């Protein structure tokens, strides 16, 4: 196309004059759109001049035919055009072409004259000769001139824009001339001879009832361009016309006319800009869209035209030269054969999202620019592929929203991954949202509500102003959401309207990591490394959170900030909120209705995680968030806000939440034990710390050290047990003897903490929740288990709770350290009487009841301190009713219980049957250790009848009648019953009498097989014997007899000695 200038010098005919005149006019900024006026007459098929037209023989100022002198136009020319232009036909033509105001229209006769004049310009033989020289490689020798010459020039202009080939160059003057010719034919498609002949049949087929003039036929044909029955020849001609419009909006008569006043009003025809830029359709659209987004008034006719051409650009990628230049390789490799209805553009979007391969940076930028030019976020109908794919979803899920409203896209995002969403719509929607998410201005609602805040806080530019290349995609929105969650103390915050929109966008972005530009950019490598198999909805972000410690620094910071944001407003997690909707509506609706969440909603979900209304997806999502919170205390918003000052002061350099909780808990415990005048941990932190401690007990995974220590044990012993509800922890407790040393130590430490603070015992608190409310509502949290034990045998006690209390009693009796009340009461007695056991004990390993057994023996010997004696009495009483509460008995007599007392052991309710069975079968017991344990039980029962439940039950009435005045303890009531048994005047109940006689026989046997080991033991046996008075009487009589004998022997010895002396 380079020879345009050379050809003008060789062919000084009307074409040369046309090109020269138009070039001069364009340079002066006076170029206007196509012809104006109404009532155009049908074209003369022969192409000759109309009535009164002698022919266009020149356009300069020289002699010859003058358009201004024609009677049909003389009045209009004198009224509209400046006098200095009257001698130049083309200047007059351009002047009349620019008339657009309805009250200043030219007459129909003049309009008809102009129409024929323009038609003759493109059918002039000299015009054809010049074009043949320029396009000799394209036009066949026998080609007639029915517009093919002009079409060739137009295609050459288009080709130059689409191909970066130095051999194809068109000078600026030639470009303007070609576009000016296209402008002249913009009002009536008859004037574009090539398109007219190519589309005659299609016009009859699709636009039969469309009246010619004002570009109406062009628009009609554009709308049917991708119909199956549209001929390829017509489609190509229409595409060329559209490409010219993309380079010069004035080639569209209707657009230029409808938007003329708006373009002038909003200074879209800036004088100092090159005409090649200001004439581009993209520039016009961007300029007017900016006015609309700023809330300025743009005429409805202009907005309608803009909508049509934005849809046109989205529908056919080939109308955007930048797309063709930058994305040619991607189109050939991934998107060939998808030309129609916007499919190619969406295919490229899919490639950019990383779903079909890689895409170049230039192509991605070209697509981003096109999305901004067409602005489909403002009206989904602009994107035909999206519109067609989502039509059914819009009709069902978004029917309450007006068609074309920007909130349609938001509605579609809200229904993403729901039953109402269809797969094709889902793909098209995410492809478009990928680009909208990278420029906050492309969401019109967000831009309208936040433009003031963005300008004030983030120093943004205008809608159509280019941002700094140094500012990454999504930077403005990142700035907005940082300010959205600031407290008043932290500084400036967003307006309420803008904050609501920021939350809406965050909810949408949580659906897919690719909708977060910063996240995808910084985490691309980590996504491929750790999360390549996590392709389900929402899994990629969860995967990054799971591998937080393994991520590169930049990615870790992005994921950490997002997780911290979620902890404050969990509603950002749209998928989780959708899964948890039933539980939210039932238990947490008040928190969900709050505009400011502040972590309350997640706390409510955690507390109600095991309600029957909870579904699996919600429970999994809540648990995952809890696990993520363990990685950094900042991820628990309420904990962070309550304790951040305490953490900085008391636990600096500690990051993991579990370590922070341990650090603060230890500080609180030490202050409590030392009766500190003032706690180092603030009250609000202590309260929230308590919440965090209780939440951590629900799932072993929330206690990382315990979980890591017991992973193999969980696999070996609890493989089929579900996580949550503390089930794994309970399983480990039940299999404690089979655990590895490391795990066993951790479980023991856990139990020790739970016994000191029963609220941390999740299973106990869950199973006995109602019983705690009934019996222990006023009890201190540290005494809850003690309270439950005291009410264990109540008639209204829940059986499941009673069973759980028994389990905890069994645990406590394995080691005195697991019974804080006993430990405190016997802190002096234990080292005094049981030092040999303590010296051989190992830390964090149970003593299997050895210390408690030691204390029981000293209880029988009545050598314990009062406080310790009271606690041991309770333990003996409880274990006398249930053999399982005596670890030593259960360990040494397991075989005997199985063989001799199987039926009693299998009883659902233990009331001392097994112990009584062992006592009765004492003679049959062969194992020495078991026999010793049974004898110890007998010894203990002599000390107090209350520790022998069977005897106490049998003799309860007799105790009331005969021993009511005698205080219990130290064998006093037992001695009373033994005296009553020997007293012939007292009649005991038959069952009591029988049991007492049995006990006497057992004690006699015990005395034979287990004689006193020393004087103190003998003395204690006498003092605790039911026949104590008789034995003491016999001993006293014996002593007296010995004394008398001694006196007598002394007198005899004295007399003999005197007699010997007298001799």
């Amino acid at each position: 196309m380079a020879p345009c200038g050379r050809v003008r010098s060789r062919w000084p005919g009307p074409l040369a004059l046309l090109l020269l005149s138009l070039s001069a006019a364009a340079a002066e900024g006076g170029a206007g759109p196509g012809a104006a006026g109404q009532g155009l007459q049908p074209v003369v098929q022969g192409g000759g001049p109309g009535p009164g037209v002698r022919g266009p023989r020149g356009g300069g100022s020289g002699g010859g035919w003058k358009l201004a002198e024609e009677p049909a136009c003389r009045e209009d020319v004198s009224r509209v055009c400046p006098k200095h232009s009257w001698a130049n036909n083309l200047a007059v033509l351009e002047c009349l072409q620019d008339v657009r105001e309805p009250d200043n229209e030219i007459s129909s006769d003049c309009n008809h004259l102009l129409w024929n004049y323009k038609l003759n310009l493109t059918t002039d033989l000299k015009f054809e000769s010049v074009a043949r020289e320029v396009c000799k490689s394209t036009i066949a020798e026998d080609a007639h001139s029915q517009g093919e010459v002009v079409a060739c020039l137009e295609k050459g202009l288009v080709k130059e824009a689409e191909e970066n080939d130095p051999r194809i160059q068109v000078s600026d003057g030639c470009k303007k001339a070609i576009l000016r010719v296209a402008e002249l034919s913009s009002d009536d498609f008859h004037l574009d001879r090539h398109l007219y002949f190519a589309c005659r049949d299609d016009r009859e087929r699709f636009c039969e009832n469309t009246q010619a003039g004002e570009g109406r036929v062009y628009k009609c044909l554009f709308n049917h361009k991708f119909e199956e029955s549209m001929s390829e020849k017509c489609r190509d001609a229409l595409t060329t016309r559209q490409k010219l419009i993309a380079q010069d909006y004035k080639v569209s008569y209707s657009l230029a006319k409808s938007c003329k006043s708006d373009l002038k009003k909003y200074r879209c025809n800036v004088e100092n800009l090159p005409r090649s830029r200001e004439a581009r359709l993209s520039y016009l659209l961007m300029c007017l869209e900016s006015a609309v987004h700023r809330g300025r008034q743009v005429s409805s006719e202009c907005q309608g035209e803009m909508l049509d051409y934005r849809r046109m650009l989205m529908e056919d990628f080939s109308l955007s030269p930048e797309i063709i230049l930058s994305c040619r390789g991607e189109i050939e490799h991934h998107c060939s054969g998808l030309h129609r209805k916007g499919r190619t553009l969406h295919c490229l979007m899919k490639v950019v999202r990383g779903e079909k391969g890689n895409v170049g940076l230039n192509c991605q930028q070209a697509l981003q620019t096109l999305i901004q030019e067409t602005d489909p976020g403002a009206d989904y109908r602009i994107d035909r592929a999206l519109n067609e794919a989502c039509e059914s979803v819009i009709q069902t899920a978004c029917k309450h929203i007006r068609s074309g409203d920007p909130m349609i896209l938001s509605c579609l995002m809200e229904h993403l991954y729901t039953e109402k969403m269809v797969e094709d719509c889902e793909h098209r929607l995410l492809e478009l949202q990928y680009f909208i998410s990278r420029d906050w201005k492309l969401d019109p609602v967000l831009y309208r509500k936040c433009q003031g805040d963005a300008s004030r806080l983030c120093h943004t530019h205008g809608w159509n102003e280019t941002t700094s290349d140094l500012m990454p995609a999504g930077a403005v929105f990142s700035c907005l959401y940082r300010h959205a969650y600031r407290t008043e103390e932290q500084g400036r915050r967003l307006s309420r309207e803008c904050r609501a929109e920021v939350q809406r966008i965050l909810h949408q972005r949580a659906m897919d990591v690719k909708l977060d530009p910063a996240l995808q950019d910084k985490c691309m490598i980590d996504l491929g490394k750790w999360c390549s198999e996590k392709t389900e909805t929402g899994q990629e972000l969860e995967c990054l959170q799971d591998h937080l410690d393994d991520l590169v620094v930049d990615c870790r910071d992005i994921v950490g900030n997002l997780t911290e944001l979620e902890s404050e407003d969990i509603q950002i997690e749209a998928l989780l909120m959708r899964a948890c909707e039933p539980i939210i509506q039932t238990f947490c609706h008040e928190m969900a209705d709050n505009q400011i969440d502040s972590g309350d909603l997640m706390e409510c979900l955690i507390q109600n995680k095991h309600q029957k209304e909870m579904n699996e997806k919600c429970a999994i999502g809540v648990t995952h968030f809890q696990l993520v919170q363990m990685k950094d205390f900042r991820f628990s918003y309420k904990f962070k806000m309550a304790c951040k000052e305490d953490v900085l002061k008391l636990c600096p350099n500690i990051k993991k939440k579990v370590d922070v909780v341990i650090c603060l808990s230890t500080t609180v415990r030490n202050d409590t034990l030392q009766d500190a005048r003032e706690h180092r941990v603030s009250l609000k932190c202590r309260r929230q710390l308590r919440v965090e401690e209780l939440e951590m007990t629900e799932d072993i995974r929330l206690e990382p050290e315990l979980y890591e220590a017991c992973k193999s044990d969980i696999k070996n012993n609890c493989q089929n047990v579900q996580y949550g509800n503390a089930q794994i922890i309970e399983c480990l407790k039940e299999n404690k003897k089979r655990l590895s040393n490391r795990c066993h130590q951790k479980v023991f430490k856990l139990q020790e903490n739970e016994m000191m603070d029963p609220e941390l015992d999740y299973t106990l608190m869950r199973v006995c929740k109602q019983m705690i409310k009934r019996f222990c509502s006023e009890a201190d949290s540290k005494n809850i288990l003690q309270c439950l034990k005291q009410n264990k045998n109540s008639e209204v006690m829940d059986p499941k709770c009673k069973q759980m209390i028994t389990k905890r009693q069994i645990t406590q009796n394995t080691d005195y350290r697991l019974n804080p009340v006993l430990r405190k009461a016997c802190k002096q007695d234990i080292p005094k009487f049981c030092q040999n056991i303590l010296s051989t004990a190992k830390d964090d390993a149970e003593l299997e009841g050895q210390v408690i057994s030691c204390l029981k023996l000293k209880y029988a010997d009545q050598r314990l301190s009062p406080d310790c004696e009271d606690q041991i009495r309770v333990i003996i009483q409880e274990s006398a009713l249930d053999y399982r509460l005596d670890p030593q008995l259960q360990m040494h007599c397991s075989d005997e219980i199985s063989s001799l007392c199987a039926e009693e052991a299998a009883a659902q309710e233990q009331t001392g049957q097994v112990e009584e069975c062992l006592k009765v079968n004492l003679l049959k017991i062969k194992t020495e250790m078991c026999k010793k344990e049974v004898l110890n039980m007998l010894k203990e029962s002599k000390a107090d009848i209350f520790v022998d439940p069977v005897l106490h039950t049998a003799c309860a009435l007799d105790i009331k009648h005969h021993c009511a005045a005698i205080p219990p303890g130290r064998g006093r009531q037992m001695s009373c019953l033994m005296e009553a048994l020997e007293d012939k005047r007292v009649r005991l109940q038959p069952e009591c009498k029988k049991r007492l006689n049995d006990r006497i026989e057992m004690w006699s046997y015990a005395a034979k097989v287990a004689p006193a080991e020393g004087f103190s033991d003998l003395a204690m046996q006498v003092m605790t014997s039911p026949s104590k008075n008789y034995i003491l009487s016999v001993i006293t009589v014996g002593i007296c007899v010995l004394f008398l004998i001694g006196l007598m022997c002394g007198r005899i010895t004295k007399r003999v000695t005197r007699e010997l002396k007298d001799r």
Side-chain angles (χ1 to χ4, degrees), residues 456-457 459 482-484 486-488 490-494:
R456 176 171 55 92
L457 302 172
H459 312 292
R482 282 197 302 273
H483 285 87
R486 282 188 172 184
T487 61
E488 293 181 1
Q490 290 174 318
R492 293 177 293 178
R493 299 185 66 185
L494 300 185

Side-chain angles (χ1 to χ4, degrees), residues 343 567 681 722 818 837:
R343 293 173 190 166
S567 72
V681 179
Q722 296 293 321
L818 300 179
I837 299 174

Side-chain angles (χ1 to χ4, degrees), residues 43 45 189-201:
V43 68
Q45 290 290 338
F189 91 113
H190 294 93
L191 299 178
D192 188 333
R193 305 303 291 167
H194 175 72
L195 188 144
Y196 169 72
F197 284 109
C199 297
R200 278 183 301 182
D201 295 338

Side-chain angles (χ1 to χ4, degrees), residues 90 151 166 344 385 438 445 612 636 703 717 776 778 916 971 984:
L90 295 175
T344 303
R438 275 148 180 78
V445 182
K612 60 182 180 180
S636 300
E703 300 192 50
N717 300 298
C776 311
E778 297 181 1
E916 189 66 20
K984 303 298 183 181

Side-chain angles (χ1 to χ4, degrees), residues 548-583:
L548 186 66
D549 296 332
D550 303 317
L551 306 179
V552 297
V553 176
D554 289 343
C555 179
R556 184 165 62 244
D557 290 343
I558 291 286
V559 176
N561 291 337
L562 182 59
T563 307
E564 189 174 353
L565 192 62
E566 287 178 349
S567 72
E568 179 178 355
D569 184 5
I570 193 59
Q571 295 188 62
I572 291 172
E573 277 282 4
L575 294 174
L576 178 61
M577 290 300 97
R578 194 177 294 161
C580 295
E581 187 173 356
I583 203 81

Side-chain angles (χ1 to χ4, degrees), residues 258-321:
S258 300
C259 296
K260 180 180 180 182
S261 60
D262 295 296
L263 290 170
K264 183 177 181 182
K265 181 178 180 181
Y266 299 115
R267 298 177 58 81
C268 297
N269 289 326
V270 183
E271 295 292 338
N272 59 357
L273 286 175
R275 186 179 185 279
S276 60
R277 175 184 171 184
E278 71 168 43
R280 287 181 65 85
L281 176 63
S282 59
Y283 179 78
L284 173 144
L285 293 175
M286 294 275 282
C287 181
L288 292 178
E289 284 167 16
S290 175
V292 172
H293 285 296
R294 294 198 308 270
R296 307 296 173 80
Q297 189 66 36
V298 174
S299 66
S300 57
E301 294 84 359
C302 181
Q303 289 199 49
E305 289 294 323
M306 289 167 60
L307 182 65
D308 289 339
Y309 283 97
R310 284 152 63 192
R311 184 187 293 120
M312 180 185 80
L313 290 173
M314 281 294 293
E315 196 172 61
D316 190 348
F317 78 96
S318 66
L319 305 184
S320 303

